[in-house]
């Protein structure tokens, strides 16, 4: 849905701004006060949103017009450190998100805004993508005091699949990761169609300071697939070219997920959206940008389903290996589709191609290879 909305918005934006010729002047890397009094940094906007630049170019005037007409409602920022506007009404988002409203009232922006003011807001409908992202992410990562108490008592050392309580489901593997270029990643994942928790090792030359240019243990907690729906937590430096056991264990009773390295608890996150859902477990690699290479071994991939205890690996069905980038390959030798086993191995390698200046932040759908296992079968 997000990609459809973005393409639609950019297409409309291109038509609106086509008459504004690109001046060719370099954008200035500073916050400026525009003619209407708004604050805007064209260089920041251009570097932060290459999808906009790809359609509209780098003219400061054009970029500022895009921000006012569309970017603000999409949650884009006009300059570094600016607070996003979660209150603005976005008719393009509203029409795509609520086709029942369009069927009843049409797609005229004024009518959509009227519906939102008179009924939609009270019905719990969202005004824009940012509002939906903020509220769904908050819901996914909020726990009760009782859940927090449970978190404090989570197993902390010497933890294996067999020692996890019955309410937990988990994926564990012995990961060896190496690579080259600007960024590469190897991880385990528990996911549904719209939310996920992943944990693994990542190297990112352009990562958040002070972690840039270092290999770290990192968790991505996805409350929604929308922009801003992902929360990243970092859990210490990690080795490259060495084998470590990584495991994420999700408590289906509370929505807490515990992150382990060699049986030691290194972090915990909350995501209630996986509770009561059909969860797929995965091992996955990703590369940052064109030329980034990944080599990974996932040995002794094992699983624990909710409701079992004392297991050294529950029987789980392998479904498929997929790749979203032609340069990336992940295989599970000897695994046949729809086959049940208690233990799997997978190897992965490749070099990212075809992003044309984009990277895993804005082309996340084209940078990975995955092996998937159905935890719910």
């Amino acid at each position: 849905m997000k990609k459809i909305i973005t393409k639609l918005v950019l297409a409309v934006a291109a038509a609106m701004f086509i008459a504004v010729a690109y001046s060719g002047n370099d954008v200035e890397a500073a916050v400026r006060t525009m003619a209407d009094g708004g604050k805007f940094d064209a260089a920041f906007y251009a570097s932060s949103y290459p999808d906009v630049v790809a359609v509209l170019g780098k003219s400061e005037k054009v970029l500022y017009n895009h921000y006012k007409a569309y970017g603000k409602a999409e949650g884009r920022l006009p300059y570094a450190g600016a607070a996003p506007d979660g209150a603005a009404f976005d008719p393009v988002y509203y029409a795509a998100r609520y086709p029942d409203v369009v069927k009843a009232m049409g797609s005229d922006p004024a009518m959509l805004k009227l519906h939102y003011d008179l009924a939609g807001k009270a019905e719990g409908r969202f005004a824009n993508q940012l509002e939906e992202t903020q509220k769904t992410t908050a819901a996914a990562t909020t726990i009760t005091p009782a859940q927090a108490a449970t978190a404090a008592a989570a197993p902390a050392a010497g933890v294996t699949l067999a020692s996890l309580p019955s309410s937990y489901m988990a994926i564990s593997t012995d990961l060896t990761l190496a690579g080259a270029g600007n960024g590469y990643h190897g991880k385990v994942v528990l996911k549904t169609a719209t939310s996920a928790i992943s944990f693994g090792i990542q190297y990112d030359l352009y990562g958040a300071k002070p972690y840039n240019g270092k290999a770290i243990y990192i968790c991505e907690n996805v409350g929604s697939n929308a922009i801003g729906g992902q929360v990243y937590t970092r859990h210490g430096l990690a080795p490259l070219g060495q084998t470590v056991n990584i495991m994420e264990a999700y408590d289906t009773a509370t929505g807490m997920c515990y992150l382990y390295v060699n049986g030691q608890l290194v972090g915990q996150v909350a995501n209630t959206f996986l509770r009561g859902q059909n969860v797929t477990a995965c091992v996955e690699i990703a590369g940052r940008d064109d030329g980034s290479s990944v080599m990974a071994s996932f040995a002794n991939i094992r699983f624990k389903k909710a409701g079992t205890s004392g297991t050294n690996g529950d029987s789980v069905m392998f479904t498929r290996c997929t790749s979203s980038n032609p340069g990336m390959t992940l295989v599970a030798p000897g695994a046949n589709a729809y086959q049940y086993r208690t233990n799997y191995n997978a190897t992965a390698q490749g070099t990212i191609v075809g992003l044309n200046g984009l990277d895993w932040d804005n082309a996340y759908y084209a940078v990975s290879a995955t092996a998937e296992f159905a935890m719910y079968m």
Side-chain angles (χ1 to χ4, degrees), residues 16 26 29 32 49 54 63 76 78 97 106 110 131 161 175-176 244 250 274 282 294 309 340 377:
M16 174 178 286
D26 292 336
R32 287 173 20 92
Y49 309 115
L63 292 177
R76 301 179 194 258
R97 181 68 173 80
E131 181 187 16
L161 287 177
L175 170 63
T176 310
V244 294
Y250 183 81
L274 273 66
C282 309
V294 189
S309 60
Y340 284 87
M377 299 291 287

Side-chain angles (χ1 to χ4, degrees), residues 141-154:
T141 57
T142 299
I143 62 172
T144 67
Q147 291 168 344
T150 301

Side-chain angles (χ1 to χ4, degrees), residues 41 85 156 229-230 303-304 367:
D41 182 345
D85 185 352
Q230 304 81 37
F303 314 87
K304 180 189 177 303
V367 297

Side-chain angles (χ1 to χ4, degrees), residues 57-337:
K58 295 185 177 181
S59 163
E60 181 182 66
K61 182 177 180 180
V62 171
L63 292 177
Y64 185 54
N65 283 342
H66 177 272
Y67 168 71
K68 291 190 297 181
Y70 301 104
K72 185 176 182 180
E74 295 170 356
R76 301 179 194 258
L77 303 181
Y79 55 88
D85 185 352
F89 181 78
D90 179 358
V92 175
Y93 160 83
Y94 201 75
R97 181 68 173 80
Y98 304 115
D100 58 319
V101 177
V102 173
K103 184 177 180 179
M105 304 189 66
S107 57
D108 179 79
M111 294 300 294
L112 294 174
K113 179 63 164 63
L114 181 64
H115 177 274
Y116 174 74
D117 290 338
L118 296 180
K121 187 174 183 179
E123 293 169 356
R125 300 180 192 258
F126 303 110
N128 57 55
Q129 182 67 77
L130 178 63
E131 181 187 16
E132 178 177 4
T133 296
Q134 289 174 332
K135 290 183 178 179
T136 55
T137 300
T141 57
T142 299
I143 62 172
T144 67
Q147 291 168 344
T150 301
V159 179
T160 66
L161 287 177
S163 64
L164 293 174
S166 174
S167 61
Y168 286 45
M169 64 178 170
I171 177 173
S172 169
T173 189
D174 298 325
L175 170 63
T176 310
L177 177 70
N182 292 329
Y184 42 92
H185 195 171
K187 58 186 178 180
V188 295
V189 189
L190 295 172
K191 69 177 184 177
T192 70
T194 57
S195 58
I197 305 171
S198 72
F199 179 57
I201 298 174
Q202 176 179 282
Y203 170 86
D204 187 353
L205 181 62
Y206 303 108
K209 295 181 179 180
Y211 306 103
N212 54 308
K214 300 180 178 70
I216 61 171
Y217 295 108
I218 189 168
C219 172
E220 182 183 15
N221 188 9
V222 180
S224 79
N225 290 323
I227 296 172
Q230 304 81 37
V231 178
Y232 296 91
T233 54
R234 297 160 180 85
H235 304 278
L237 298 179
L240 293 175
Q242 299 180 30
T243 301
V244 294
N245 178 265
I246 60 172
M247 179 171 70
E248 61 176 271
Y250 183 81
D251 187 350
T252 60
T254 65
M256 291 297 302
C257 186
Y258 303 99
L259 313 172
Y260 293 93
V261 176
N262 293 329
Q264 303 292 314
L265 181 67
V266 298
Q268 57 195 37
V269 297
N271 189 326
T272 59
F273 287 169
L274 273 66
R275 296 179 66 191
Q277 303 299 311
N278 289 338
V279 173
T280 298
C282 309
V283 295
E284 182 176 345
I285 61 165
R288 189 182 204 285
D289 48 19
D290 286 340
S292 289
S293 298
V294 189
M295 293 171 288
S297 169
F298 300 91
N300 197 26
I301 307 169
R302 294 178 298 136
F303 314 87
K304 180 189 177 303
K305 294 183 176 182
T308 67
S309 60
T311 177
N312 286 316
D314 288 332
S315 181
V316 170
M317 187 178 75
F318 167 73
T319 56
R320 61 177 183 168
C321 288
T322 65
S323 177
S324 63
N325 188 281
M328 306 291 275
T329 302
L330 191 150
V331 296
N336 299 315

